[in-house]
Amino acid sequence: MENIKQTKVKKLLVSQAIGSMVNAKGWVRTKRGNKSVAFVALNDGSIIHNIQIVIDVVNFDEEILKLITTGSCISVNGVLVKSQGQGQSVEIQAKEIELYGTADPETYPLQKKGHSLEFLREIAHLRPRTNTFGAVLRIRHAMAFAIHKYFNDHGFYYLHAPIITGSDAEGAGEMFKVTTLDAKYPPIKVDGSVDYEEDFFGKPTNLTVSGQLEAELGALALSLVYTFGPTFRAENSNTARHLAEFWMIEPEMAFYDITNNMDLAEDSLKYFINYALENCIDDLEFLNKMYDNGLIERLKSIVNNTFERLTYTEAVSILENSKHKFEFPVKWGIDLQSEHERYLVENHFKKPVILTDYPKAIKAFYMKQNDDGKTVRAMDVLFPQIGEVIGGSQREENYEKLNSRIKELKINEKDLWWYLETRKFGTAPHSGFGLGFERLILFVTGMGNIRDVIPFPRTPKNAEF
Ligand code: 4AD
Ligand code: MG
């Protein structure tokens, strides 16, 4: 076959080079036609749309054509022509075809369209070949890019927090242990406990639940930093919003108070969502049509609305005074459930909400204590459909207050000596937050289950792929 440089389908579909020889490579979505002409819809993942390949059957080996079935992979040389048919502007009149890989119609799992999302989770190795997952994965990429762009454009430095950590003091959730010790015969100390001095790091280690503590170290030197990496929580929460392995974006800013923190959260979320509207509209239109016909309107409404800001205490009284029946009753002091959060956002305010000043008992040790002695300067950003998309706070920068809170909560301060030193040496007011990347992608794609917005979800009893 003649060697012609490949052009991606995305480019071919808007190409002006009518009449020229081109090469396209990709996977066959469908083949139809009759004895004399075959039409192949070819997709290479560069865009949701396919390019149509027109094959004059007489010019090709019948045995090869038979093997060009849904799921097979081919390379096509041909002439780019204006399309006669509906639905596409250009197509390729095939001259030469090379068959890279067949896909036996008897066994190829994606032979037919319209599989359930549950079934597709069982074939996570093949689901990127579907329109839905192509769209989700392209949007996921675009959002990751937009996040780096936003923070870079605003003077933030990307800080790589460690994935393996020696401290378990963040308290954000159950941790996965990291060890090279033999699970069956670990070294035992005289007192009967496991001797972690023999372990790889000479001490117990875990997968991180958050990069925040390290981000704080960065912010107290570089002023504006953000992390963007995988985080791990070993909770057995089998919900449509929780993963055991998820990605988190954690900006941390010296000299920011809680209001600056809220402003950054609101501005960046609007930027990300607007970026999707401006750069992923083909994929969004597909998802809007197939899954959720309110999606694009909802995204626009986020960009165009000011987020409602109120305190936890105010929110609790709105919930208490509502006539709504909640599964979990509301009273001051409880950790709000997703039904409460969604009521505030979807029924009461009908726009995103930022709640602040939560009871200190339900929030982490590092949050700045308010003068009332009861609440801390926390903030959660709540979105329609999703509930909590961001959790953050102003940090306690006062050494004595922080230390006494650590003691109160019986956290092992020896694990945190390095963290506490930032409050001893040149402490500064500072704030930050954590944005759950998959929660953002859930919102932007309108998908209903967090397992469907990450290529290979890690959930309880599920790490096959
Ligand atoms: O509210 P969280 O636990 O906050 C922290 O970890 C802080 N250290 C963040 C900070 O201030 N730098 O988690 C932050 C966000 C949540 O709002 C949610 O969007 C997401 O991370 N998240 C999860 N996403 C998927 N699966 C899970 N199990 C998640 N747990 C939290
Ligand atoms: Mg939270």
Side-chain angles (χ1 to χ4, degrees):
M1 195 160 108
E2 196 190 339
N3 192 5
I4 302 172
K5 191 167 177 288
Q6 180 197 3
T7 307
K8 288 279 160 54
V9 171
K10 184 178 180 174
K11 276 211 170 145
L12 288 171
L13 290 177
V14 292
S15 172
Q16 304 296 314
I18 301 300
S20 62
M21 278 291 280
V22 295
N23 172 270
K25 302 183 201 299
W27 293 269
V28 173
R29 283 296 167 79
T30 56
K31 188 173 91 179
R32 59 191 176 81
N34 51 43
K35 284 207 180 79
S36 56
V37 57
F39 300 98
V40 164
L42 194 70
N43 188 281
D44 64 4
S46 58
I47 188 170
I48 191 140
H49 307 298
N50 306 320
I51 191 153
Q52 174 155 283
I53 314 293
V54 184
I55 302 169
D56 276 327
V57 172
V58 284
N59 298 335
F60 292 87
D61 181 346
E62 205 181 322
E63 291 308 303
I64 301 271
L65 288 189
K66 255 199 241 160
L67 294 171
I68 298 177
T69 57
T70 297
S72 63
C73 185
I74 59 174
S75 173
V76 183
N77 286 342
V79 184
L80 192 69
V81 296
K82 280 215 155 67
S83 179
Q84 310 296 309
Q86 296 225 312
Q88 66 266 328
S89 56
V90 296
E91 60 194 24
I92 295 175
Q93 195 74 51
K95 297 291 176 222
E96 292 177 292
I97 299 178
E98 187 179 343
L99 180 62
Y100 284 144
T102 59
D104 180 1
E106 296 296 315
T107 52
Y108 181 56
L110 295 172
Q111 181 61 29
K112 289 199 205 77
K113 283 187 171 182
H115 290 295
S116 73
L117 294 170
E118 288 79 7
F119 171 74
L120 293 177
R121 270 174 228 147
E122 291 168 19
I123 52 163
H125 60 304
L126 292 173
R127 68 178 183 170
R129 304 238 194 125
T130 62
N131 284 333
T132 300
F133 285 89
V136 167
L137 294 177
R138 280 185 296 270
I139 291 171
R140 192 178 157 104
H141 160 80
M143 287 295 90
F145 182 79
I147 285 161
H148 285 301
K149 179 163 169 48
Y150 179 87
F151 286 112
N152 183 64
D153 289 353
H154 287 77
F156 282 69
Y157 296 107
Y158 181 24
L159 185 91
H160 294 100
I163 289 171
I164 300 174
T165 157
S167 80
D168 64 353
E170 150 90 6
E174 291 298 309
M175 303 186 96
F176 289 100
K177 293 192 172 69
V178 175
T179 177
T180 53
L181 294 180
D182 190 326
K184 213 166 167 192
Y185 302 108
I188 301 292
K189 291 199 287 198
V190 277
D191 68 1
S193 63
V194 174
D195 185 2
Y196 282 103
E197 277 180 35
E198 297 281 308
D199 203 351
F200 190 89
F201 296 105
K203 61 180 288 193
T205 49
N206 303 295
L207 293 179
T208 187
V209 293
S210 155
Q212 178 195 324
L213 302 189
E214 293 85 358
E216 286 188 55
L217 312 182
L220 293 173
L222 300 171
S223 292
L224 303 176
V225 300
Y226 69 107
T227 72
F228 186 176
T231 49
F232 306 86
R233 298 193 185 176
E235 287 132 302
N236 207 352
S237 39
N238 243 320
T239 80
R241 317 242 174 287
H242 289 89
L243 290 164
E245 175 181 296
F246 64 100
W247 288 64
M248 195 168 17
I249 300 96
E250 295 185 273
E252 191 70 33
M253 298 75 68
F255 319 120
Y256 271 46
D257 66 11
I258 188 76
T259 306
N260 305 138
N261 205 16
M262 286 192 275
D263 291 345
L264 182 73
E266 180 167 347
D267 187 62
S268 58
L269 284 169
K270 286 178 172 170
Y271 176 89
F272 305 147
I273 290 164
N274 193 51
Y275 188 93
L277 286 166
E278 284 181 357
N279 293 277
C280 308
I281 198 66
D282 284 353
D283 290 324
L284 289 176
E285 275 169 359
F286 170 80
L287 295 169
N288 194 83
K289 189 172 91 197
M290 298 300 288
Y291 292 99
D292 178 351
N293 53 32
L295 174 64
I296 291 178
E297 275 315 304
R298 197 160 60 243
L299 297 180
K300 286 185 181 159
S301 89
I302 301 291
V303 176
N304 297 325
N305 263 306
T306 305
F307 296 5
E308 191 70 33
R309 300 180 185 189
L310 66 157
T311 65
Y312 167 94
T313 303
E314 288 164 339
V316 165
S317 80
I318 289 172
L319 293 168
E320 281 175 333
N321 293 330
S322 79
K323 301 274 169 312
H324 195 85
K325 261 227 132 336
F326 294 109
E327 194 189 330
F328 295 92
V330 183
K331 72 168 203 286
W332 198 95
I334 65 155
D335 209 353
L336 296 181
Q337 302 291 321
S338 130
E339 56 168 340
H340 308 133
E341 298 175 338
R342 292 186 61 174
Y343 178 85
L344 290 169
V345 175
E346 290 164 28
N347 302 54
H348 192 84
F349 291 110
K350 299 189 168 40
K351 54 177 167 164
V353 170
I354 310 183
L355 294 188
T356 57
D357 303 290
Y358 282 74
K360 67 175 182 183
I362 56 169
K363 289 292 183 186
F365 74 95
Y366 50 69
M367 295 191 180
K368 187 171 174 66
Q369 298 166 38
N370 282 321
D371 293 337
D372 63 11
K374 291 192 302 196
T375 60
V376 287
R377 227 160 280 178
M379 61 168 221
D380 276 9
V381 181
L382 313 179
F383 260 21
Q385 319 255 320
I386 309 295
E388 179 188 336
V389 65
I390 279 179
S393 73
Q394 186 167 341
R395 317 306 189 189
E396 183 56 77
E397 81 271 24
N398 179 289
Y399 180 83
E400 278 74 36
K401 285 189 187 163
L402 184 61
N403 211 6
S404 71
R405 188 71 185 133
I406 286 175
K407 289 210 168 75
E408 222 168 74
L409 292 170
K410 301 195 168 60
I411 297 169
N412 192 354
E413 61 194 285
K414 273 201 293 206
D415 279 352
L416 283 175
W417 65 271
W418 46 274
Y419 182 73
L420 283 161
E421 285 209 343
T422 56
R423 274 61 169 177
K424 261 196 233 166
F425 307 126
T427 192
H430 63 290
S431 300
F433 61 81
L435 166 62
F437 188 51
E438 285 74 19
R439 299 260 176 106
L440 175 68
I441 308 299
L442 261 183
F443 184 75
V444 171
T445 59
M447 300 300 283
N449 194 308
I450 201 162
R451 293 165 177 82
D452 298 330
V453 298
I454 186 166
F456 304 104
R458 297 287 174 261
T459 51
K461 303 278 178 282
N462 176 26
E464 176 77 13
F465 305 95

